[in-house]
Amino acid sequence: MLDTPEAVFEALRENNERPYGLQRTVTAEELVEAAEPFDKPDILVTALMELMAAYENTGEHRKSPVVFARLLKLWEEAPGSFSEWEAHQVLWRFKWVATSLLQVPEVPLATIEGWIGRMRERYEADGHGVQPVAAMRYHLAAHTGAGTDAAYDLWATRPRTRLSDCEACETRHHALHPVRAGDDAAALEVWRPVLEGASSCSDEPQMSQAQALLPLVRSGRLDEARSHHLSGYRRVRGMTGMLDEVGLHLEFCALTRNEGRGLEILAENRPLFEAVGAPLARLGFLTGVQVLLARLVSDGHADTPVAGPPGRSWTAGELLETVRAEGDSLAAAFDARNGTTGVGDRRRARLACAPLTGEPLPLGLRTAAARAVPGSGGGGNGASGAPAALAIPEDFVELVREARRMAAQVHPGDTPLWQRIAAVAGADGYVHDDRLGPEGRLRAELVEQRAYELFGDDRETEAVAAMTEAAGLFGAARRPWDALVCRARALAWTSVPRTADDSGSGSGSDGGAGGGSAGASDAGAAVDREAIRAGLDAVLREAEELAASAAAAGVADAADAADVAEEYLTVVYFRVYAAYHEAVGELPEVSAAALERFEESVALLHSEAERLAVPHRKAGALEFTADLALRRGDPERAEGSLRAALEEVEASGRPWLGMRTRSILAQTLFAQGKYGEAVEPLHQVIALAVRHGASDFPLASVHAMLGHAASHIGDAATAVRHLSEAAARHDRSGAHDAAADMRLQLADVLTRTGRPEEAVAVLESVDADESGVLDERLHAQVRLTLGRGLRALEEHRAAAEVFLRLADTVAGWEDDPAVLTLVASEAAMSLAAADRWDAARAAYARAVDAHAKAANPPMIIRMMCEFARLTPLGERTGAEDAQEPAAGLEAALAHFAEADAVCAAVPQDTDDFSHAYESGTIHYQRARVLAAAERFADALAEAEASVAAHERDGEQGEVPRAESVRLAAVIEYNGLGRASEAMARLSAAAKRCRRHGLDEAAQILDALRADFRSRQSDR
């Protein structure tokens, strides 16, 4: 009941703790009504201040000036009812009103100018400088587009005052001035303190992050643009007070070819269509929406369903017409009010912008909406370095001849040519041209190409059948070499079925055999290896006889001799392929027989390739040798063979054949910890794939390795870029689990490099997948990492929701019940931090119950200590009323007692559990709580007990021991007034840290000791 002034004040206090939004605004309106009947103006002043702040922060600019008018009236009637802070706010909020009036086109320009004049009078009367007034005149000029430079000079040359906007907000406006003049470089230099986090406020950096997106892209600083989009958008999504900023993020998505991401943002912000209190900000939002929709419609997706104003379904085309009409009307209204074309000109300039990137800028996000927008670039999952589109001859005869030439060279760019050939030859009315030889040959080639596609899609059984069919067709067309190669390839493909853990490139040096890095260790059990060996030996004998016959008959020319050598060596190659997979199937211990067969087949391929002067087949032999050596734990030998193989590739004149070799070389360098050396060959793989149109080459794994290498050498920007690209490519190939795993790794890199908001944004995009395609365990790991990330950002309620959903998932994992203990503990801690104590206690009990069934002592102890820490004295702990200090301390100590009992119950010889560490942690946390309760003697005893416990942990206990000493010194100095004892304690601890090589810890202790000494000298 709000029937007393005290009740209204308490309600105002509670409302002030709520986040800005509809609930806070409605409550603020109700509290103004409740405050009016009392004959106490001070209550009404506070209520009106709260209501105006609610309007300001939710974009209700039409209403804000009305509230301020009431405040001014009270100021004139009862100035003593204003506290010192509220009196200052009256002057401060003159700026709010001027900005609000600017937002509404119905307010005449003369009224705004008059208000700024009134603001100047009031500031001068109270002895304040007029820099904030000059700032408002500049904002007005920038809005109308008239006299902007002169107004800027008047503002920028005046000194700041107590009533100036904060430095972060002023920095934004200083930066926007050169942006409007087309000088992005100068603007970004001005923006540096805000964008780098050195200057911030409640509105910053999120407003600057949105405004700087396109200047960053135009300047080629794509990594920074990606970063600011990921972290900045999370801070503005769904906020009616950030309409303009949401529109800028939509525009960024459209102009970086991330239309799918834009559609998701549109869906997340659908309620913003109903926000009408800030017309100018609404115009910015609608313009961003229009840029996005115009891109979709121009690409032919006018019928794509999109999220628009609530109440009906929308297509992109329908919504585009609606927002275009309203946006044009609003812009015209502002220009009519202003007497200039400034607003309309800026809007038209935004709408005229073409995409700023040739390919979609990879954002690292999973974007489900992209599936609804063909050609949208995967909603931020676009290719970086897409393979070049090779020219496809229009003349069919020329087309077939070019495809055959490329196939003979094992060129990876022949795929689109064969696809075009298949379409033409499969059409009704196709008439074969005899210049291409027998039609049966062409039909055989097309079946062979279909077999490659099937094998690439992991449809091995169908691929083998198709390749066998192609062999028969080649035989019928009197193409014996082609028939032999197809038979050898079919047998080789049968040698081992590829499985989900296949890390191979899928494109070996034969142009489609799958290379040598495919494999699963248990695949050999399903393979009739003797039959395969017998079949390949028979094919090899036929190849030898055919080659001998050709030699006896005399080949027509050198080209024919080279063709014979190539076909013969291809058959030999597949014999190695099968022997390789037999050996891989026996790993980790390869039998002597399998190893002998492999080495014999490799030796034959190497010697015959050398005899016939076919370098790329020598490279193939060396590559197989290297691959098996790497799998058997000998990366040094593998590296030598691969570097020799690359020399042979270069000698062959077919550089594209080195893509897979370089990929395996990078793996060998990884195995030796040579991450920096691995970067160059991986970049070369991508360059070769792009240059030669290798659209089938699995670059996802290459980007993943580049990301890992960059992370290891401390190049976070490159790591983020390539892990994002790897995830995007996995998305496009339908490898959802692999994509999620890449994003987990991406989030780890972002977190480790101090970018937790971006990490959370990436994980949120994965967790939002409700299609059920992700592996349950993998999705659970994503949620666990996401929940911890949200908690690190102090978004405790969101973290708790994630942990609670996860707890429901893992509760059914009978094979791993300890996971529930962990997750329930995480949920309990987040709920407590979110001040949801009833739910927190329920999760606490669930965790304790789970621990009884599947013990996880470190996690339970951590939860109990965290509960104790989060039970501050005199604060709410779930009861209706605040606890008395003694009761709060008693509750906290009870949690510590439970933690002691858990620790004591763990057997001394338990693996992965340190009694010393856990006991030391409990003592440390108890010391903190006792110190907060001003029981300093008891707190010091606990801190010293923590020091003693960590000493029992040996060398690994030195770091936590140093922290416990630091706490003990703080308690001793601040709580007990024993300065000399505290400084002596710190000095001894610092010396000990240096003896153990802990220089950073020693510096911390020394700095505290110096602080204590300085404070003593000032007394």
Side-chain angles (χ1 to χ4, degrees), residues 455 460-461 463-469 471 483-497 510 513 526-542 570-571 573-579 581-582:
F455 193 72
E460 290 85 1
T461 301
V464 169
M467 192 58 71
T468 302
E469 179 187 353
L484 280 176
V485 168
C486 286
R487 285 169 56 196
R489 184 176 280 115
L491 286 164
W493 283 354
T494 308
S495 66
V496 55
D510 66 306
V527 175
D528 186 348
R529 299 201 179 279
E530 288 190 14
I532 293 171
R533 286 198 297 271
L536 285 169
D537 286 345
V539 172
L540 178 59
R541 286 193 296 272
E542 292 182 48
T570 301
V571 172
Y573 172 92
F574 283 118
R575 192 164 171 268
V576 180
Y577 184 99
H581 279 297
E582 180 180 359

Short mmCIF file of all heavy atoms in Angstrom, two decimals, residues 455 460-461 463-469 471 483-497 510 513 526-542 570-571 573-579 581-582:
data_model
loop_
_atom_site.label_atom_id
_atom_site.label_comp_id
_atom_site.label_asym_id
_atom_site.label_seq_id
_atom_site.Cartn_x
_atom_site.Cartn_y
_atom_site.Cartn_z
N PHE A 455 30.89 -39.87 -53.64
CA PHE A 455 31.94 -40.14 -52.66
C PHE A 455 32.19 -38.90 -51.81
O PHE A 455 32.42 -39.01 -50.59
CB PHE A 455 33.22 -40.55 -53.38
CG PHE A 455 34.27 -41.13 -52.47
CD1 PHE A 455 34.11 -42.40 -51.91
CD2 PHE A 455 35.41 -40.42 -52.15
CE1 PHE A 455 35.06 -42.93 -51.06
CE2 PHE A 455 36.37 -40.95 -51.31
CZ PHE A 455 36.20 -42.22 -50.77
N GLU A 460 29.45 -43.78 -49.83
CA GLU A 460 30.50 -44.62 -50.39
C GLU A 460 29.95 -45.79 -51.21
O GLU A 460 30.47 -46.11 -52.29
CB GLU A 460 31.40 -45.15 -49.27
CG GLU A 460 32.28 -44.10 -48.62
CD GLU A 460 31.56 -43.36 -47.51
OE1 GLU A 460 30.38 -43.69 -47.25
OE2 GLU A 460 32.16 -42.46 -46.91
N THR A 461 28.92 -46.45 -50.70
CA THR A 461 28.39 -47.63 -51.41
C THR A 461 27.88 -47.24 -52.79
O THR A 461 28.18 -47.91 -53.79
CB THR A 461 27.26 -48.26 -50.60
OG1 THR A 461 27.76 -48.64 -49.31
CG2 THR A 461 26.72 -49.51 -51.30
N ALA A 463 28.79 -44.60 -54.44
CA ALA A 463 29.92 -44.13 -55.22
C ALA A 463 30.67 -45.29 -55.86
O ALA A 463 31.04 -45.23 -57.04
CB ALA A 463 30.87 -43.33 -54.32
N VAL A 464 30.90 -46.34 -55.07
CA VAL A 464 31.60 -47.52 -55.62
C VAL A 464 30.79 -48.13 -56.75
O VAL A 464 31.35 -48.52 -57.80
CB VAL A 464 31.86 -48.54 -54.50
CG1 VAL A 464 32.34 -49.87 -55.09
CG2 VAL A 464 32.89 -48.00 -53.51
N ALA A 465 29.48 -48.21 -56.57
CA ALA A 465 28.63 -48.77 -57.63
C ALA A 465 28.71 -47.93 -58.89
O ALA A 465 28.80 -48.47 -60.02
CB ALA A 465 27.19 -48.87 -57.14
N ALA A 466 28.67 -46.61 -58.74
CA ALA A 466 28.73 -45.73 -59.90
C ALA A 466 30.09 -45.83 -60.59
O ALA A 466 30.17 -45.85 -61.83
CB ALA A 466 28.46 -44.29 -59.48
N MET A 467 31.17 -45.93 -59.80
CA MET A 467 32.49 -46.03 -60.40
C MET A 467 32.65 -47.36 -61.13
O MET A 467 33.29 -47.43 -62.20
CB MET A 467 33.56 -45.85 -59.33
CG MET A 467 34.97 -45.66 -59.89
SD MET A 467 35.14 -44.23 -60.99
CE MET A 467 35.00 -42.87 -59.82
N THR A 468 32.07 -48.39 -60.58
CA THR A 468 32.10 -49.70 -61.25
C THR A 468 31.32 -49.64 -62.56
O THR A 468 31.74 -50.20 -63.59
CB THR A 468 31.51 -50.78 -60.33
OG1 THR A 468 32.26 -50.80 -59.10
CG2 THR A 468 31.59 -52.14 -60.98
N GLU A 469 30.18 -48.95 -62.53
CA GLU A 469 29.40 -48.77 -63.76
C GLU A 469 30.20 -48.00 -64.80
O GLU A 469 30.20 -48.33 -65.99
CB GLU A 469 28.11 -48.01 -63.44
CG GLU A 469 27.23 -47.76 -64.65
CD GLU A 469 26.03 -46.88 -64.35
OE1 GLU A 469 25.80 -46.56 -63.16
OE2 GLU A 469 25.34 -46.48 -65.31
N ALA A 471 33.38 -47.95 -65.12
CA ALA A 471 34.40 -48.86 -65.68
C ALA A 471 33.82 -49.68 -66.80
O ALA A 471 34.45 -49.87 -67.87
CB ALA A 471 34.95 -49.75 -64.57
N ALA A 483 38.92 -47.65 -68.12
CA ALA A 483 38.21 -48.72 -67.41
C ALA A 483 39.05 -49.27 -66.27
O ALA A 483 38.54 -49.50 -65.16
CB ALA A 483 37.85 -49.83 -68.39
N LEU A 484 40.35 -49.46 -66.51
CA LEU A 484 41.23 -49.98 -65.45
C LEU A 484 41.32 -49.00 -64.27
O LEU A 484 41.27 -49.40 -63.11
CB LEU A 484 42.63 -50.23 -66.02
CG LEU A 484 42.84 -51.52 -66.83
CD1 LEU A 484 44.25 -51.56 -67.39
CD2 LEU A 484 42.59 -52.73 -65.95
N VAL A 485 41.46 -47.72 -64.57
CA VAL A 485 41.57 -46.72 -63.50
C VAL A 485 40.29 -46.69 -62.67
O VAL A 485 40.33 -46.62 -61.43
CB VAL A 485 41.87 -45.34 -64.09
CG1 VAL A 485 41.70 -44.25 -63.03
CG2 VAL A 485 43.30 -45.30 -64.65
N CYS A 486 39.13 -46.77 -63.33
CA CYS A 486 37.86 -46.77 -62.59
C CYS A 486 37.74 -48.01 -61.71
O CYS A 486 37.25 -47.93 -60.58
CB CYS A 486 36.69 -46.69 -63.56
SG CYS A 486 36.47 -45.06 -64.28
N ARG A 487 38.17 -49.16 -62.22
CA ARG A 487 38.13 -50.37 -61.41
C ARG A 487 39.04 -50.25 -60.19
O ARG A 487 38.68 -50.62 -59.07
CB ARG A 487 38.54 -51.58 -62.25
CG ARG A 487 37.46 -52.06 -63.23
CD ARG A 487 38.03 -53.06 -64.21
NE ARG A 487 38.64 -54.20 -63.55
CZ ARG A 487 39.47 -55.06 -64.15
NH1 ARG A 487 39.79 -54.88 -65.43
NH2 ARG A 487 39.96 -56.08 -63.47
N ALA A 488 40.25 -49.70 -60.40
CA ALA A 488 41.19 -49.52 -59.29
C ALA A 488 40.62 -48.54 -58.26
O ALA A 488 40.71 -48.77 -57.05
CB ALA A 488 42.53 -49.01 -59.83
N ARG A 489 40.02 -47.47 -58.75
CA ARG A 489 39.47 -46.48 -57.83
C ARG A 489 38.32 -47.07 -57.02
O ARG A 489 38.21 -46.84 -55.80
CB ARG A 489 39.01 -45.26 -58.62
CG ARG A 489 38.51 -44.13 -57.74
CD ARG A 489 38.14 -42.90 -58.54
NE ARG A 489 39.30 -42.12 -58.91
CZ ARG A 489 39.74 -41.92 -60.16
NH1 ARG A 489 39.09 -42.48 -61.17
NH2 ARG A 489 40.80 -41.19 -60.40
N ALA A 490 37.46 -47.84 -57.65
CA ALA A 490 36.33 -48.45 -56.95
C ALA A 490 36.82 -49.39 -55.86
O ALA A 490 36.30 -49.41 -54.73
CB ALA A 490 35.43 -49.18 -57.93
N LEU A 491 37.84 -50.21 -56.18
CA LEU A 491 38.40 -51.11 -55.17
C LEU A 491 39.04 -50.33 -54.02
O LEU A 491 38.90 -50.68 -52.85
CB LEU A 491 39.44 -52.03 -55.83
CG LEU A 491 38.87 -53.15 -56.71
CD1 LEU A 491 39.97 -53.72 -57.60
CD2 LEU A 491 38.27 -54.25 -55.83
N ALA A 492 39.75 -49.24 -54.36
CA ALA A 492 40.41 -48.43 -53.33
C ALA A 492 39.37 -47.78 -52.42
O ALA A 492 39.55 -47.73 -51.20
CB ALA A 492 41.29 -47.37 -53.99
N TRP A 493 38.31 -47.28 -53.00
CA TRP A 493 37.26 -46.66 -52.17
C TRP A 493 36.63 -47.68 -51.22
O TRP A 493 36.21 -47.33 -50.13
CB TRP A 493 36.17 -46.07 -53.07
CG TRP A 493 36.58 -44.76 -53.69
CD1 TRP A 493 37.71 -44.04 -53.46
CD2 TRP A 493 35.83 -44.02 -54.65
NE1 TRP A 493 37.73 -42.90 -54.22
CE2 TRP A 493 36.58 -42.85 -54.96
CE3 TRP A 493 34.61 -44.22 -55.30
CZ2 TRP A 493 36.13 -41.90 -55.88
CZ3 TRP A 493 34.17 -43.27 -56.20
CH2 TRP A 493 34.92 -42.12 -56.49
N THR A 494 36.60 -48.91 -51.65
CA THR A 494 36.03 -49.95 -50.79
C THR A 494 36.94 -50.28 -49.61
O THR A 494 36.50 -50.85 -48.62
CB THR A 494 35.80 -51.24 -51.62
OG1 THR A 494 35.05 -50.91 -52.80
CG2 THR A 494 35.02 -52.28 -50.84
N SER A 495 38.20 -49.88 -49.70
CA SER A 495 39.17 -50.31 -48.70
C SER A 495 38.86 -49.78 -47.31
O SER A 495 39.23 -50.40 -46.32
CB SER A 495 40.59 -49.89 -49.12
OG SER A 495 40.70 -48.47 -49.12
N VAL A 496 38.20 -48.64 -47.22
CA VAL A 496 37.82 -48.14 -45.90
C VAL A 496 36.68 -47.15 -46.04
O VAL A 496 36.82 -46.15 -46.74
CB VAL A 496 39.01 -47.49 -45.17
CG1 VAL A 496 39.67 -46.40 -45.96
CG2 VAL A 496 38.56 -46.98 -43.82
N PRO A 497 35.57 -47.39 -45.39
CA PRO A 497 34.48 -46.41 -45.40
C PRO A 497 34.88 -45.20 -44.60
O PRO A 497 35.43 -45.32 -43.51
CB PRO A 497 33.31 -47.15 -44.72
CG PRO A 497 33.71 -48.58 -44.68
CD PRO A 497 35.21 -48.60 -44.66
N ASP A 510 44.88 -37.81 -56.85
CA ASP A 510 44.32 -38.41 -58.05
C ASP A 510 43.08 -37.66 -58.49
O ASP A 510 42.41 -38.07 -59.43
CB ASP A 510 43.95 -39.87 -57.79
CG ASP A 510 42.81 -39.96 -56.79
OD1 ASP A 510 42.93 -39.38 -55.70
OD2 ASP A 510 41.81 -40.60 -57.11
N ALA A 513 40.19 -39.36 -55.13
CA ALA A 513 40.27 -40.61 -54.41
C ALA A 513 40.11 -40.44 -52.92
O ALA A 513 39.94 -41.40 -52.21
CB ALA A 513 41.61 -41.27 -54.68
N ALA A 526 35.20 -54.17 -41.25
CA ALA A 526 34.10 -54.36 -42.19
C ALA A 526 34.61 -54.50 -43.62
O ALA A 526 33.81 -54.47 -44.55
CB ALA A 526 33.12 -53.19 -42.09
N VAL A 527 35.90 -54.64 -43.80
CA VAL A 527 36.48 -54.63 -45.15
C VAL A 527 37.13 -55.98 -45.44
O VAL A 527 37.87 -56.52 -44.61
CB VAL A 527 37.53 -53.50 -45.26
CG1 VAL A 527 38.22 -53.57 -46.60
CG2 VAL A 527 36.86 -52.15 -45.05
N ASP A 528 36.84 -56.52 -46.62
CA ASP A 528 37.49 -57.77 -47.08
C ASP A 528 38.79 -57.38 -47.76
O ASP A 528 38.86 -57.19 -48.96
CB ASP A 528 36.56 -58.52 -48.03
CG ASP A 528 37.12 -59.90 -48.41
OD1 ASP A 528 38.31 -60.16 -48.13
OD2 ASP A 528 36.37 -60.70 -49.01
N ARG A 529 39.84 -57.26 -46.97
CA ARG A 529 41.09 -56.72 -47.49
C ARG A 529 41.76 -57.68 -48.47
O ARG A 529 42.41 -57.24 -49.43
CB ARG A 529 42.01 -56.38 -46.33
CG ARG A 529 41.41 -55.33 -45.41
CD ARG A 529 42.47 -54.64 -44.59
NE ARG A 529 41.87 -53.63 -43.73
CZ ARG A 529 41.53 -52.41 -44.13
NH1 ARG A 529 41.74 -52.07 -45.39
NH2 ARG A 529 40.98 -51.55 -43.31
N GLU A 530 41.64 -58.96 -48.23
CA GLU A 530 42.27 -59.90 -49.15
C GLU A 530 41.65 -59.78 -50.54
O GLU A 530 42.36 -59.81 -51.55
CB GLU A 530 42.12 -61.33 -48.63
CG GLU A 530 42.98 -61.63 -47.41
CD GLU A 530 42.99 -63.11 -47.07
OE1 GLU A 530 42.55 -63.92 -47.93
OE2 GLU A 530 43.43 -63.46 -45.98
N ALA A 531 40.34 -59.64 -50.60
CA ALA A 531 39.68 -59.49 -51.89
C ALA A 531 40.11 -58.20 -52.58
O ALA A 531 40.31 -58.16 -53.80
CB ALA A 531 38.17 -59.52 -51.69
N ILE A 532 40.24 -57.13 -51.79
CA ILE A 532 40.66 -55.86 -52.36
C ILE A 532 42.08 -55.97 -52.90
O ILE A 532 42.37 -55.53 -54.03
CB ILE A 532 40.56 -54.74 -51.31
CG1 ILE A 532 39.09 -54.49 -50.95
CG2 ILE A 532 41.21 -53.46 -51.81
CD1 ILE A 532 38.91 -53.56 -49.77
N ARG A 533 42.97 -56.58 -52.10
CA ARG A 533 44.35 -56.73 -52.55
C ARG A 533 44.41 -57.56 -53.82
O ARG A 533 45.13 -57.21 -54.78
CB ARG A 533 45.20 -57.38 -51.46
CG ARG A 533 45.53 -56.45 -50.30
CD ARG A 533 46.70 -57.00 -49.49
NE ARG A 533 46.38 -58.29 -48.88
CZ ARG A 533 45.83 -58.45 -47.69
NH1 ARG A 533 45.54 -57.39 -46.96
NH2 ARG A 533 45.60 -59.65 -47.19
N ALA A 534 43.64 -58.64 -53.84
CA ALA A 534 43.65 -59.50 -55.03
C ALA A 534 43.13 -58.75 -56.24
O ALA A 534 43.68 -58.85 -57.35
CB ALA A 534 42.80 -60.75 -54.78
N GLY A 535 42.05 -57.98 -56.04
CA GLY A 535 41.49 -57.22 -57.15
C GLY A 535 42.46 -56.19 -57.67
O GLY A 535 42.61 -56.01 -58.89
N LEU A 536 43.13 -55.47 -56.75
CA LEU A 536 44.06 -54.44 -57.19
C LEU A 536 45.30 -55.05 -57.84
O LEU A 536 45.84 -54.48 -58.81
CB LEU A 536 44.47 -53.58 -55.99
CG LEU A 536 43.41 -52.58 -55.51
CD1 LEU A 536 43.79 -51.99 -54.17
CD2 LEU A 536 43.21 -51.47 -56.55
N ASP A 537 45.73 -56.21 -57.35
CA ASP A 537 46.88 -56.87 -58.00
C ASP A 537 46.52 -57.29 -59.42
O ASP A 537 47.34 -57.17 -60.34
CB ASP A 537 47.30 -58.09 -57.19
CG ASP A 537 48.04 -57.71 -55.90
OD1 ASP A 537 48.47 -56.54 -55.80
OD2 ASP A 537 48.16 -58.57 -55.00
N ALA A 538 45.27 -57.75 -59.58
CA ALA A 538 44.83 -58.16 -60.93
C ALA A 538 44.77 -56.95 -61.85
O ALA A 538 45.21 -57.02 -63.02
CB ALA A 538 43.46 -58.82 -60.84
N VAL A 539 44.24 -55.83 -61.35
CA VAL A 539 44.18 -54.62 -62.17
C VAL A 539 45.58 -54.16 -62.52
O VAL A 539 45.85 -53.73 -63.65
CB VAL A 539 43.39 -53.51 -61.44
CG1 VAL A 539 43.49 -52.18 -62.21
CG2 VAL A 539 41.94 -53.90 -61.26
N LEU A 540 46.51 -54.24 -61.55
CA LEU A 540 47.88 -53.82 -61.82
C LEU A 540 48.52 -54.68 -62.90
O LEU A 540 49.21 -54.17 -63.78
CB LEU A 540 48.71 -53.89 -60.53
CG LEU A 540 50.19 -53.52 -60.68
CD1 LEU A 540 50.35 -52.10 -61.21
CD2 LEU A 540 50.91 -53.66 -59.33
N ARG A 541 48.26 -56.01 -62.85
CA ARG A 541 48.82 -56.88 -63.89
C ARG A 541 48.28 -56.49 -65.26
O ARG A 541 49.02 -56.44 -66.25
CB ARG A 541 48.51 -58.34 -63.59
CG ARG A 541 49.34 -58.93 -62.44
CD ARG A 541 49.21 -60.44 -62.38
NE ARG A 541 47.85 -60.87 -62.09
CZ ARG A 541 47.36 -61.03 -60.85
NH1 ARG A 541 48.13 -60.78 -59.80
NH2 ARG A 541 46.13 -61.44 -60.68
N GLU A 542 46.99 -56.21 -65.33
CA GLU A 542 46.40 -55.80 -66.60
C GLU A 542 47.01 -54.48 -67.07
O GLU A 542 47.27 -54.28 -68.27
CB GLU A 542 44.89 -55.64 -66.48
CG GLU A 542 44.14 -56.95 -66.25
CD GLU A 542 42.63 -56.72 -66.17
OE1 GLU A 542 42.09 -56.02 -67.05
OE2 GLU A 542 41.99 -57.24 -65.24
N THR A 570 48.45 -44.21 -61.98
CA THR A 570 47.23 -44.03 -61.20
C THR A 570 46.77 -45.36 -60.62
O THR A 570 46.32 -45.44 -59.46
CB THR A 570 46.12 -43.41 -62.07
OG1 THR A 570 46.57 -42.15 -62.58
CG2 THR A 570 44.85 -43.20 -61.28
N VAL A 571 46.87 -46.41 -61.39
CA VAL A 571 46.52 -47.74 -60.88
C VAL A 571 47.45 -48.11 -59.72
O VAL A 571 47.01 -48.62 -58.68
CB VAL A 571 46.61 -48.79 -62.01
CG1 VAL A 571 46.45 -50.20 -61.44
CG2 VAL A 571 45.55 -48.52 -63.08
N TYR A 573 48.97 -46.06 -57.81
CA TYR A 573 48.62 -45.16 -56.70
C TYR A 573 47.50 -45.76 -55.85
O TYR A 573 47.56 -45.74 -54.61
CB TYR A 573 48.19 -43.81 -57.28
CG TYR A 573 47.62 -42.85 -56.26
CD1 TYR A 573 48.43 -41.94 -55.60
CD2 TYR A 573 46.27 -42.85 -55.95
CE1 TYR A 573 47.92 -41.06 -54.67
CE2 TYR A 573 45.73 -41.98 -55.02
CZ TYR A 573 46.56 -41.09 -54.37
OH TYR A 573 46.05 -40.24 -53.45
N PHE A 574 46.49 -46.32 -56.49
CA PHE A 574 45.36 -46.84 -55.72
C PHE A 574 45.74 -48.10 -54.95
O PHE A 574 45.13 -48.41 -53.93
CB PHE A 574 44.16 -47.08 -56.63
CG PHE A 574 43.43 -45.81 -56.97
CD1 PHE A 574 43.34 -45.38 -58.28
CD2 PHE A 574 42.88 -45.02 -55.97
CE1 PHE A 574 42.69 -44.20 -58.58
CE2 PHE A 574 42.23 -43.85 -56.27
CZ PHE A 574 42.13 -43.42 -57.57
N ARG A 575 46.73 -48.79 -55.42
CA ARG A 575 47.22 -49.94 -54.65
C ARG A 575 47.85 -49.45 -53.35
O ARG A 575 47.68 -50.04 -52.29
CB ARG A 575 48.24 -50.69 -55.49
CG ARG A 575 48.64 -52.06 -54.98
CD ARG A 575 49.33 -52.84 -56.08
NE ARG A 575 49.92 -54.07 -55.59
CZ ARG A 575 51.17 -54.18 -55.16
NH1 ARG A 575 51.95 -53.10 -55.14
NH2 ARG A 575 51.65 -55.33 -54.74
N VAL A 576 48.57 -48.31 -53.41
CA VAL A 576 49.12 -47.70 -52.20
C VAL A 576 47.99 -47.22 -51.28
O VAL A 576 48.04 -47.39 -50.06
CB VAL A 576 50.04 -46.51 -52.56
CG1 VAL A 576 50.63 -45.89 -51.29
CG2 VAL A 576 51.14 -46.95 -53.50
N TYR A 577 47.00 -46.63 -51.90
CA TYR A 577 45.86 -46.11 -51.15
C TYR A 577 45.24 -47.20 -50.27
O TYR A 577 44.97 -46.99 -49.08
CB TYR A 577 44.83 -45.58 -52.15
CG TYR A 577 43.61 -44.90 -51.58
CD1 TYR A 577 43.52 -43.52 -51.52
CD2 TYR A 577 42.52 -45.64 -51.14
CE1 TYR A 577 42.39 -42.89 -51.02
CE2 TYR A 577 41.39 -45.03 -50.63
CZ TYR A 577 41.32 -43.65 -50.57
OH TYR A 577 40.20 -43.05 -50.09
N ALA A 578 45.00 -48.36 -50.86
CA ALA A 578 44.40 -49.46 -50.11
C ALA A 578 45.33 -49.96 -49.02
O ALA A 578 44.90 -50.26 -47.90
CB ALA A 578 44.03 -50.59 -51.07
N ALA A 579 46.63 -50.07 -49.33
CA ALA A 579 47.59 -50.52 -48.33
C ALA A 579 47.69 -49.52 -47.17
O ALA A 579 47.81 -49.91 -46.00
CB ALA A 579 48.96 -50.72 -48.97
N HIS A 581 45.26 -47.56 -46.07
CA HIS A 581 44.08 -47.68 -45.22
C HIS A 581 44.08 -48.98 -44.41
O HIS A 581 43.55 -49.02 -43.30
CB HIS A 581 42.81 -47.58 -46.06
CG HIS A 581 42.45 -46.16 -46.38
ND1 HIS A 581 42.13 -45.24 -45.42
CD2 HIS A 581 42.40 -45.50 -47.57
CE1 HIS A 581 41.87 -44.08 -45.99
NE2 HIS A 581 42.04 -44.21 -47.29
N GLU A 582 44.69 -49.99 -44.94
CA GLU A 582 44.84 -51.22 -44.15
C GLU A 582 45.72 -50.95 -42.94
O GLU A 582 45.39 -51.37 -41.81
CB GLU A 582 45.44 -52.33 -45.01
CG GLU A 582 45.61 -53.64 -44.24
CD GLU A 582 46.21 -54.77 -45.09
OE1 GLU A 582 46.49 -54.54 -46.29
OE2 GLU A 582 46.41 -55.86 -44.53
#
